Each structure stands twice: as structure tokens, then as C-alpha cells.
Amino acid sequence: MTHNLLFLPGDGIGPEVMREARRVLEWLGAKRGLKLTITEMLIGGASIDMHGVPLTDAVIAAAQNADVVFLGAVGGPKWAGVAHDKRPEAGLLGIRKALDLFANLRPAVIFDALLDASSLKPDIVRGLDIMIVRELVGGVYFGQPRGIEILPDGQKRGYNTQTYSTHEIQRVARVAFELARARRKALCSVDKANVMESSIVWRETVTELHQAEYADVTLSHMYVDNCAMQLCRAPKQFDVILTDNLFGDILSDEASMLTGSIGMLPSASLGAEINGKRAALYEPIHGSAPDIAGKGIANPLAAILCVEMWLRTSRRDLAAADLLAKAVAQVLQNGARTADIATSGQKALTTQEVGDAVLKALEN
Ligand code: NAD
């Protein structure tokens, strides 16, 4: 089977780090028989410069036809003046929406070699391996009504609506249960059911789904304020965390800091499974990093680990995923690092040199 990959490198360091991810994919094609065709197109600011819009219909069509989309990053000061709905970031939201990518997966994994880079003590994060599943296209960020109104006394009133229906919760919960089943079989659903009705529906729906289809997975529930605390106190108690759009936005950023550098973390956004195929977009969690763009010093490991996450999550090719994870761990262990994770006194390598080191580790 040939996999059709759509590459959307985007802006800033996006193209720089995606080049290294592409080399890893090409290595997998040449050395492990993975059959790939890679198409590259524009998104974000690069698309604005060429086509006047951050996301074209042609890219949406190509994404809908592709087996998987790999995205670098979008945005930068060059496009600071464009209208809100035409800004580079609108391209990213547009493609998520077009593919109905409702489940966002963010792993927080720490490599032993980077223990010192975490903001927590090594003992608390050693061996950390959490997966946060965030609902991505519903909840308070999209709920209606929303707006800003002027009250009779001249004050302003801003309002948003948090809503979740059974179907929206079930589909993202299924993704989380399936992941937990393939991991350590523990799912913690995070909500605010002591205060919010939408969370009561969330908790009931997850509990019913658990009883009906996933009784082999251990399910627990936690209030979001407690979860925020537990992530700093004892993060290793978690396997998979399932939560809504707003809580997931905050908790996944908190969890990413446990692992040290933003340049290390991949993410996946998944859609519904239709005829055995699930729409999937993989991207590093970092942005376009305008401050270092063009210098060739960005850390390419988040982009390379997107390939690993794709192999593990969409392809279920665990042997290839493990091989790549091991290669990255070895590169870090050998001290082949970009400036963001280099320790003092260590020579920082370029983006390409780290890519070279990963390819060499794969060969070995
Ligand atoms: P950022 O993630 O781009 O950068 C934050 C800091 O981390 C910077 O100092 C940067 O140099 C550093 N950094 C990020 N990735 C790195 C890497 N791979 N290696 C080494 N250092 C790295 O976030 P920001 O500065 O808030 O945003 C910059 C632009 O990116 C903005 O236009 C923003 O809207 C956009 N953005 C895009 C995405 C996306 O495309 N998914 C995500 C976040 C931000």
C-alpha cells in the first residue's frame, strides 16, 4: 500500500524542521520498504504571499484526499497587518475544520537525557509518558451564542457558551479509550462536573461508554483544578487524560513544560474513521519561531517525532515507531542537540546536523 502524504511546511522554521522530517520518511521508504508519495503545498503566510489567502481550496482538496497531513507551523510578523480572518493562523483553523479533526492528541514524554531540562525535579518526571486527548472542535471556543454587547448602563458584557452533546463526547472519548487500551489501560476523564452542566453530561457520557464498550480500561474522573495540581505534584499517575477543548488547551501546555522544550513535542489531530481510514494531521506543538527562523538552528526533533507518532497512532507500525524513538533517544544521549536543549559547555548543532544524527542512529 502506498501512503499519500501531504506536506504543508508553512512559515518561519516550519520548512526548516519539516525538511528533516521528510528525510526521515525518505529513509523509512528506502530502508524499510514504506511506500510513500509526498506532495508539498503552501499554507499560512506562504500561501498568502502566493495566493492571497492562508488556505486554498486546492490544499483542502489535497488534504481530504491524502492519507495523512504533516504541517510545520504558520505565522510571523510579516503578516501581522492582515485582516483577522485572513491571517496565517486562520489557515490552520480552516484545515482542522475542513477535515473535522475533533481529537487532539498531545503526548508528554520525557527523554532520560533531558531530565535536567524539565521544570520539575528529575524524580518526579523520570519515565513520564502521558497522552492528553483534547476535544478540538466544540465547547466554549465554538459554542453559540457568543459576543460582546453594550448594557443599558453603558457597561460591556462579553459572553461565550459551553455546550457538549452526547455524540461530540462519545467520539472523542472513543479515541481516548482506544489509546488507553493500547497503552497502560488507564483513562482519567477531566471535567468540572461539580459546577458545570456541560461537565455533568460529559461525565455521564464517558461513564456510560466505559460500561458499554471499554470495561477492560480503568476509568477515573478528576476535576480540572485538581488535575492541574496533580500534573505538577505527581504526573506519572496518569496514562491517558481525556478532556474538553478549554481544559485541554490549558492542561496540555502545562504538561508540555514538564518535558523541557517546546522543540521536542509532536501532536496529532484526528477525525472520524470512515471506511477504515481516519483523517489525521500531525504537527509539532511549537509555532514558526520568527526569532530564530532562517538561521538553521531550530530543533527538528518535534517534527521528526511527528513521523514517529504517525507510525504509532495511524499506521500502527510499532516496530518502525520504536526504532525511530530509539534513534532520537540515542541522539539526545550522545549530546547531538540544538541550542534550545544543549547543556552549558555543549556545542549546539544545526537543524540539519541533528537530522543527520537521527539518520545515522537509524542506520546503526
Ligand atoms: P513559538 O512556538 O513559535 O516560539 C516560542 C519560543 O520557542 C521562541 O523563542 C522560539 O524560538 C522557541 N522555539 C519554538 N520552536 C522551536 C524549535 N523547534 N527549536 C528551538 N526553539 C524553538 O511561539 P510564538 O513565538 O508565540 O509564535 C510565533 C508565531 O507562530 C506566531 O505567529 C504564532 O501565531 C505562530 N504559532 C503557530 C502555531 C502553529 O502553527 N501550530 C503554534 C503556535 C504559534
Side-chain angles (χ1 to χ4, degrees):
M1 176 189 169
T2 299
H3 303 282
N4 294 314
L5 277 52
L6 176 65
F7 255 57
L8 302 173
D11 309 317
I13 62 167
E16 300 171 31
V17 296
M18 294 307 281
R19 200 171 300 130
E20 303 312 314
R22 185 170 177 149
R23 288 169 72 207
V24 167
L25 280 162
E26 283 163 354
W27 185 92
L28 290 166
K31 299 293 170 73
R32 286 188 66 95
L34 203 61
K35 291 199 178 67
L36 308 167
T37 58
I38 302 180
T39 308
E40 242 178 72
M41 295 179 91
L42 302 177
I43 194 168
S47 176
I48 294 175
D49 289 351
M50 181 68 84
H51 305 293
V53 288
L55 178 67
T56 60
D57 292 343
V59 170
I60 292 177
Q64 283 163 341
N65 286 326
D67 293 308
V68 60
V69 180
F70 285 93
L71 191 140
V74 295
K78 183 176 175 193
W79 305 280
V82 303
H84 190 69
D85 60 335
K86 297 261 161 48
R87 67 200 194 286
E89 290 78 1
L92 185 57
L93 298 180
I95 198 152
R96 283 177 182 163
K97 206 167 177 153
L99 298 178
D100 197 17
L101 302 171
F102 59 82
N104 183 230
L105 279 54
R106 272 205 193 186
V109 176
I110 192 148
F111 288 88
D112 278 349
L114 292 184
L115 274 177
D116 289 343
S118 171
S119 44
L120 296 190
K121 293 183 192 120
D123 279 350
I124 295 190
V125 288
R126 185 175 287 113
L128 182 76
D129 179 3
I130 305 176
M131 178 69 80
I132 297 188
V133 180
R134 165 189 172 194
E135 200 288 328
L136 199 59
V137 294
V140 73
Y141 290 173
F142 295 91
Q144 294 289 343
R146 61 187 295 165
I148 300 174
E149 64 184 16
I150 307 293
L151 298 175
D153 66 358
Q155 290 190 70
K156 277 187 188 163
R157 177 173 168 267
Y159 55 97
N160 294 85
T161 306
Q162 165 88 336
T163 71
Y164 271 110
S165 59
T166 308
H167 166 70
E168 283 176 290
I169 302 164
Q170 278 177 344
R171 63 181 189 171
V172 70
R174 271 206 178 85
V175 171
F177 275 120
E178 295 288 341
L179 282 165
R181 196 173 251 171
R183 292 166 50 101
R184 300 191 297 279
K185 292 194 166 43
L187 178 69
C188 179
S189 176
V190 173
D191 61 41
K192 193 71 183 164
N194 51 343
V195 179
M196 297 171 73
E197 283 75 5
S198 55
S199 277
I200 294 174
V201 176
W202 182 281
R203 191 175 282 219
E204 284 173 1
T205 306
V206 173
T207 304
E208 282 164 17
L209 186 65
H210 175 241
Q211 284 161 0
E213 295 178 32
Y214 297 99
D216 56 313
V217 174
T218 304
L219 172 67
S220 59
H221 300 277
M222 192 178 278
Y223 296 134
V224 62
D225 40 351
N226 186 22
C227 183
M229 183 180 76
Q230 296 298 334
L231 274 173
C232 293
R233 196 187 71 86
K236 282 186 274 183
Q237 70 185 281
F238 297 109
D239 178 12
V240 178
I241 292 175
L242 164 68
T243 192
D244 76 15
N245 202 345
L246 172 65
F247 301 153
D249 194 359
I250 299 163
L251 293 178
S252 63
D253 265 26
E254 183 188 353
S256 74
M257 270 326 291
L258 306 179
T259 69
S261 170
I262 196 169
M264 290 298 303
L265 292 179
S267 75
S269 300
L270 305 179
E273 193 168 313
I274 298 167
N275 299 331
K277 191 182 139 188
R278 191 187 278 288
L281 182 149
Y282 290 83
E283 59 182 319
I285 71 162
H286 61 72
S288 57
D291 53 335
I292 57 166
K295 296 183 181 163
I297 58 169
N299 187 345
L301 292 179
I304 288 172
L305 288 169
C306 284
V307 175
E308 188 255 359
M309 200 176 175
W310 169 64
L311 291 167
R312 198 175 295 284
T313 310
S314 294
R315 290 267 308 121
R316 310 214 174 172
D317 184 348
L318 302 190
D322 288 345
L323 182 80
L324 184 49
K326 252 193 194 157
V328 170
Q330 196 183 92
V331 164
L332 293 170
Q333 202 63 49
N334 294 346
R337 303 181 186 182
T338 41
D340 56 316
I341 50 171
T343 49
S344 63
Q346 202 171 42
K347 180 181 174 282
L349 300 190
T350 64
T351 308
Q352 192 182 335
E353 283 168 341
V354 171
D356 290 343
V358 172
L359 292 177
K360 195 166 156 216
L362 282 169
E363 287 290 346
N364 292 338

